[in-house]
Amino acid sequence: MLNVDTIKNGLVIDHIRAGYGSRIFRWLGLDTVSFSVALIMNVQSKQWGRKDIIKIDNIINIDYSVLGFIDPNITVNVIKNETIVRKISMSLPDRVENVIRCRNPRCITTTEHYVPQVFRLVNKEQALYRCQYCDTLYKAGDNTELLEHSL
């Protein structure tokens, strides 16, 4: 039986699409922190079948737009004194910057590395984003590699 201690003061990132927890874990840089964290994968879920969960025994700053881009079904529970004091639901952000890299070899961001990687939501139902510079389309939550980030 798996036993993960209760979070006293921290965050629980819940309802992560199964298999995406490790991407979020790495993007947040949780593999290098000094406080307790837990990545629980393939947990049974009545609503989703399977899901991942990340428990963080610390309050950290998170760019919620990135979580919404990866999976708009994610919820973040803020825990204080072992009680949920706030539940934050994600949604697809209108714009993401420096989260993913444009794959178009002719995009200005390929040769001019100082230009930020900017994508705008163009179709909410299909979760489609368009590169601001070259109009290449990307689907949110696909296996596009996230750019480096750290706490």
Side-chain angles (χ1 to χ4, degrees):
M1 183 79 191
L2 179 67
N3 184 21
V4 178
D5 284 341
T6 309
I7 299 294
K8 293 179 183 15
N9 294 296
L11 303 171
V12 176
I13 305 173
D14 199 359
H15 303 109
I16 303 168
R17 184 180 335 172
Y20 281 67
S22 59
R23 293 178 71 198
I24 295 170
F25 194 87
R26 282 191 310 272
W27 182 77
L28 290 172
L30 295 174
D31 53 341
T32 62
V33 297
S34 59
F35 46 85
S36 297
V37 294
L39 169 59
I40 308 163
M41 300 178 71
N42 292 314
V43 177
Q44 273 195 302
S45 168
K46 291 178 187 173
Q47 189 174 15
W48 306 108
R50 295 270 178 207
K51 67 178 181 178
D52 293 351
I53 301 169
I54 299 174
K55 290 186 164 192
I56 306 167
D57 199 16
N58 197 359
I59 301 291
I60 61 172
N61 290 325
I62 296 177
D63 184 347
Y64 295 117
S65 65
V66 176
L67 292 182
F69 177 79
I70 295 169
D71 185 353
N73 298 310
I74 290 174
T75 57
V76 177
N77 298 314
V78 179
I79 312 294
K80 291 193 179 172
N81 298 319
E82 298 182 8
T83 304
I84 298 174
V85 295
R86 185 171 173 212
K87 185 173 244 170
I88 305 166
S89 297
M90 300 299 111
S91 62
L92 288 172
D94 293 329
R95 177 181 185 272
V96 290
E97 184 174 327
N98 294 327
V99 175
I100 60 171
R101 185 178 321 280
C102 186
R103 294 182 296 238
N104 181 350
R106 296 183 182 182
C107 184
I108 189 171
T109 60
T110 303
T111 57
E112 305 296 333
H113 300 287
Y114 63 88
V115 176
Q117 304 277 336
V118 179
F119 296 83
R120 298 197 182 278
L121 181 63
V122 293
N123 186 316
K124 192 170 191 170
E125 289 75 34
Q126 295 180 9
L128 290 177
Y129 284 80
R130 185 179 307 274
C131 174
Q132 176 173 295
Y133 309 104
C134 70
D135 293 333
T136 300
L137 287 173
Y138 292 85
K139 183 167 178 59
D142 72 359
N143 284 329
T144 305
E145 189 165 327
L146 299 174
L147 295 177
E148 291 289 319
H149 172 77
S150 60
L151 295 175

